[in-house]
């Protein structure tokens, strides 16, 4: 996560994973982000790259229990190689977000032979348009039908982010998340969601359950943040601040 100039995506995803209960996060990011991330999130291990290194990538994937890839990754040559090899090599649960999906939209063949049943895609509507080949207008006419066709074809779990987010898998069908609000429509919100979902996968939740619970907690954090900060002032970092309150609320219920 995090190409040059996109350290924020790495920071938000890593911190969200920690706040959801992950024991140790390692960030694999562009070398330019090293000093920034070391100061922003000293709890994380920071490993950097200047060019594509397949052996290092394999080592990191082998180390991890769960992989999250794509947030702020960019779409240049090195990013494409990292994504392609991660998909082909990993047997671990994997969240693919943002630029990971943008790259994939032009190379859906990367999924051939991959262990897709443990993959979670987290597209917003424009990203879903790219990976599905359907225009947004077509998707909006029947989101359920579009999602059902997509997850059946690729055997992934898909979290389609919108005013009311849908979570879909071929095995468990389609569920609608009812938490969340318009205050969350800010840059970085999707990075937080990817981190939260990865955090639940680390704790052993099944793929579909992690997607559903992660989306619920993300939205609930946004609802709590909006209540205290108002509809205009909620930032992505505020969603992370309220994860703990959302989890405590769930425990009480």
């Amino acid at each position: 996560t995090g190409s040059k100039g996109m350290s924020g995506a790495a920071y938000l995803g890593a911190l969200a994973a920690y706040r959801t209960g992950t024991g140790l996060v390692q960030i694999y990011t562009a070398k330019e982000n090293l000093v920034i991330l070391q100061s922003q999130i000293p709890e994380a291990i920071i490993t950097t790259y200047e060019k594509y290194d397949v052996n290092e990538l394999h080592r990191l994937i082998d180390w991890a229990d769960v992989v999250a890839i794509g947030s702020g990754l960019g779409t240049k040559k090195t990013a494409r190689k990292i994504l392609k090899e991660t998909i082909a090599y990993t047997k671990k649960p994997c969240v693919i977000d943002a630029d990971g999906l943008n790259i994939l939209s032009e190379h859906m063949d990367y999924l051939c032979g991959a262990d897709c049943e443990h993959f979670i895609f987290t597209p917003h509507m424009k990203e879903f348009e790219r990976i599905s080949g359907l225009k947004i207008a077509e998707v909006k006419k029947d989101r359920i039908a579009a999602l059902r066709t997509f997850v059946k074809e690729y055997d992934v779990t898909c979290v389609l982010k919108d005013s009311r987010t849908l979570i879909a898998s071929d095995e468990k069908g389609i569920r609608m998340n009812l938490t969340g609000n318009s205050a969350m429509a800010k840059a970085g919100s999707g990075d937080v969601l990817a981190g939260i979902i990865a955090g639940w996968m680390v704790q052993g939740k099944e793929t579909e359950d992690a997607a559903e619970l992660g989306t619920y907690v993300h939205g609930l954090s946004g609802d709590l943040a909006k209540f205290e900060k108002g509809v205009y002032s909620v930032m992505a970092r505020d969603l992370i601040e309220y994860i703990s309150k959302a989890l405590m609320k769930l425990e009480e219920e």
Side-chain angles (χ1 to χ4, degrees), residues 157-169:
T157 295
C158 187
V159 177
L160 180 56
K161 298 177 289 193
D162 202 11
S163 57
R164 279 288 171 253
T165 295
L166 297 177
I167 303 99
S169 69

Side-chain angles (χ1 to χ4, degrees), residues 1-7 10 27-42 44-50:
T1 178
S3 57
K4 181 180 178 181
M6 296 293 289
S7 62
I27 301 171
Y28 192 39
T29 190
K31 185 178 181 181
E32 292 84 355
N33 296 328
L34 175 62
V35 175
I36 297 170
L37 289 171
Q38 283 180 326
S39 61
Q40 283 184 320
I41 184 163
I45 302 170
I46 315 295
T47 303
T48 65
Y49 60 84
E50 292 184 87

Side-chain angles (χ1 to χ4, degrees), residues 113-125:
D115 190 19
C116 294
E117 113 180 73
H118 300 299
F119 286 1
I120 297 177
F121 291 179
T122 54
H124 54 56
M125 290 292 281

Side-chain angles (χ1 to χ4, degrees), residues 2-4 28-32 47-58 60 73 76-83 85:
S3 57
K4 181 180 178 181
Y28 192 39
T29 190
K31 185 178 181 181
E32 292 84 355
T47 303
T48 65
Y49 60 84
E50 292 184 87
K51 59 183 180 180
Y52 178 64
D53 184 339
V54 67
N55 293 324
E56 180 77 334
L57 183 60
H58 286 183
L60 292 168
L73 185 65
K76 294 182 179 179
K77 186 176 180 180
T78 297
R80 293 198 303 271
K81 288 182 176 180
I82 290 172
L83 179 72
E85 186 61 22

Side-chain angles (χ1 to χ4, degrees), residues 224-244:
L224 295 171
K226 176 187 172 184
F227 180 77
E228 293 193 11
K229 293 180 178 290
V231 69
Y232 298 106
S233 301
V234 175
M235 302 286 285
R237 71 187 73 174
D238 297 322
L239 303 179
I240 298 173
E241 177 186 340
Y242 284 87
I243 289 172
S244 60

